[in-house]
Amino acid sequence: DAIVGLASDGLHTNGYSLARHVLFDKAGFSVDRYFPELKSTLGDALLTPHRCYANALLPLLDEFEVKGMAHLTGGGFYDNIPRTLPSDCTAVIDRRAWEPLPIFSLIQEAGRVPEPEMFRTFNMGIGMVVILPRENAPMFVAQLNEVGERAALIGEVQRGGHEVQMI
């Protein structure tokens, strides 16, 4: 099976304790500081509303055999994706399949947060994943992108130990 990722617009609902600690306590940034890479102030970037994926996904559920969906909230990739998998399967995520939003790079660099912790805490620019048969994934991605989503094939399900592997 394939794993399709739908882009997030920011932190959504997860990681604010770590983000606040790193950005304000450690780095000493203010909410009013403008960051060119964010194209906004830090405060506005952190307050970007959570995306709703229902309007884009619901019409596709009748057309495609969706085997699982995971909203990447608290616990990021490592805690949320395994909930959709059988116990003998592993999600292999290709980290190169998308570019994380600049807010995540800012947090990682300012706090020297290790990459595994970033993927455990944050959505890293992927707010929702959908698991479906591999042969249907290209059309599924195309239809999502046609309605204004930013979707991409980001991984696959393989036999394994009920975990997420980042490659």
Side-chain angles (χ1 to χ4, degrees):
D1 291 332
I3 302 174
V4 172
L6 284 79
S8 71
D9 285 336
L11 272 62
H12 285 187
T13 59
N14 51 311
Y16 280 93
S17 295
L18 178 58
R20 185 176 53 249
H21 173 69
V22 165
L23 298 171
F24 301 126
D25 298 340
K26 281 183 119 173
F29 297 142
S30 82
V31 293
D32 297 327
R33 181 170 172 179
Y34 181 84
F35 286 85
E37 64 270 30
L38 302 178
K39 298 181 181 143
S40 71
T41 64
L42 181 56
D44 285 341
L46 292 173
L47 292 175
T48 300
H50 188 286
R51 292 185 34 83
C52 176
Y53 299 100
N55 291 338
L57 288 173
L58 287 175
L60 299 179
L61 296 181
D62 290 332
E63 186 177 342
F64 292 92
E65 177 189 0
V66 171
K67 296 184 177 183
M69 294 191 293
H71 194 232
L72 299 188
T73 58
F77 284 76
Y78 294 111
D79 289 349
N80 291 291
I81 296 175
R83 294 179 188 155
T84 68
L85 300 174
S87 61
D88 63 343
C89 289
T90 292
V92 179
I93 304 295
D94 183 352
R95 169 60 195 81
R96 301 160 299 182
W98 78 98
E99 185 67 34
L101 298 169
I103 187 69
F104 299 112
S105 298
L106 182 64
I107 293 167
Q108 187 172 14
E109 291 167 15
R112 291 179 251 215
V113 181
E115 188 168 274
E117 183 62 23
M118 292 296 294
F119 280 93
R120 182 169 309 286
T121 304
F122 300 106
N123 66 52
M124 297 300 287
I126 300 292
M128 173 75 79
V129 296
V130 179
I131 299 170
L132 70 160
R134 180 186 322 273
E135 61 272 10
N136 296 334
M139 181 60 75
F140 190 80
V141 168
Q143 287 189 24
L144 284 168
N145 288 330
E146 283 176 16
V147 298
E149 288 295 329
R150 295 179 322 273
L153 179 62
I154 66 165
E156 65 182 17
V157 177
Q158 298 178 357
R159 290 282 176 218
H162 203 248
E163 63 184 354
V164 174
Q165 295 178 2
M166 304 301 285
I167 61 168

